[in-house]
């Protein structure tokens, strides 16, 4: 009985990982089970040893998080696209980051699959290319992380998010204007 439960558990781990935007890439046949996984441009090695799951990262990729200063530079240089995933009423009530495009979180998946002219007509900005730098933002960094995961699942390769969101932006902008 316990062997059957163990076997089912070991088969379900890759499915759980896949549901978290971790996709199996290769599997090497050895006495120990090694699975190489690809997650947010990072190769992760998951090793199963006697029921213990070990995770090793072998990536030199930059962080997916963007700080205020980096976001400010990106907006000034126009070297990427900033997408605010808050609802339109939130932007009207609280404000928005100048230069950002509003695509509500519930529409991100569909929006990133539109034709460029449809995207521009619906959201009022240029549609990002799959290789272009995209930074997602929201109120406090939670929805932007979800949007980032969605973009990665659609094949976008240079995506980041601003974990401070509008709260951090507005506080820092007020400080900047008082100087």
């Amino acid at each position: 009985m316990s062997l059957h439960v163990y076997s089912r558990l070991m088969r379900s781990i890759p499915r759980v990982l896949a549901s978290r935007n971790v996709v199996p890439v290769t599997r090497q046949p050895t006495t120990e089970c090694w699975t190489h996984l690809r997650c947010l441009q990072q190769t992760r090695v998951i090793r199963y040893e006697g029921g213990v799951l070990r995770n090793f990262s072998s990536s030199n990729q930059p962080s997916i998080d963007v700080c205020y200063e980096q976001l400010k530079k990106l907006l000034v240089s126009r070297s990427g696209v900033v997408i605010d995933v808050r609802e339109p009423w939130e932007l009207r009530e609280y404000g928005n980051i100048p230069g950002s495009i509003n695509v509500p979180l519930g529409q991100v998946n569909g929006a990133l699959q539109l034709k460029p002219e449809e995207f521009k007509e619906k959201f009022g900005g240029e549609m990002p290319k799959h290789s272009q730098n995209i930074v997602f933002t929201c109120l406090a960094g939670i929805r932007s992380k979800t949007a980032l995961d969605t973009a990665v699942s659609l094949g976008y390769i240079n995506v980041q998010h601003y974990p401070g969101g509008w709260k951090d932006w507005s506080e820092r902008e007020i400080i900047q204007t008082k100087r």
Side-chain angles (χ1 to χ4, degrees):
M1 165 101 173
S2 65
L3 184 60
H4 177 69
V5 171
Y6 176 77
S7 175
R8 285 183 57 201
L9 176 65
M10 295 313 287
R11 284 189 308 239
S12 68
I13 289 173
R15 277 185 270 137
V16 169
L17 293 171
S19 71
R20 295 192 174 143
N21 291 324
V22 179
V23 183
V25 175
T26 62
R27 190 173 198 150
Q28 299 174 350
T30 61
T31 55
E32 301 168 69
C33 183
W34 285 82
T35 304
H36 297 265
L37 302 166
R38 181 101 173 122
C39 173
L40 297 175
Q41 303 174 340
Q42 299 178 13
T43 302
R44 295 194 182 270
V45 178
I46 307 296
R47 183 177 181 176
Y48 305 95
E49 285 184 288
V52 177
L53 180 65
R54 298 213 171 126
N55 185 358
F56 307 93
S57 178
S58 62
S59 174
N60 295 343
Q61 296 293 327
S63 170
I64 60 170
D65 294 347
V66 173
C67 69
Y68 170 79
E69 290 79 15
Q70 292 169 315
L71 184 60
K72 193 91 169 168
K73 280 183 187 176
L74 182 132
L75 287 166
V76 169
S77 68
R78 298 180 185 221
S79 59
V81 177
V82 178
I83 298 178
D84 192 326
V85 297
R86 294 179 292 156
E87 295 297 321
W89 69 265
E90 291 177 273
L91 275 66
R92 287 190 301 271
E93 187 168 325
Y94 302 114
N96 67 319
I97 297 173
S100 66
I101 301 170
N102 179 231
V103 180
L105 181 60
Q107 297 177 34
V108 168
N109 190 11
L112 293 178
Q113 297 180 61
L114 291 173
K115 293 178 180 170
E117 55 276 357
E118 292 172 332
F119 184 93
K120 186 170 187 166
E121 182 180 321
K122 187 168 184 174
F123 301 106
E126 295 297 322
M127 180 165 177
K129 296 174 179 54
H130 278 76
S131 61
Q132 193 172 8
N133 187 19
I134 305 171
V135 177
F136 291 99
T137 185
C138 61
L139 185 64
I142 296 167
R143 290 176 281 179
S144 60
K145 178 68 172 92
T146 303
L148 180 143
D149 292 340
T150 299
V152 168
S153 73
L154 293 171
Y156 286 84
I157 57 173
N158 195 10
V159 292
Q160 298 174 302
H161 84 114
Y162 178 43
W166 172 253
K167 287 182 178 181
D168 184 58
W169 177 270
S170 61
E171 288 172 8
R172 289 175 182 267
E173 285 294 296
I174 289 170
I175 291 170
Q176 291 293 328
T177 57
K178 286 184 178 180
R179 287 183 184 180

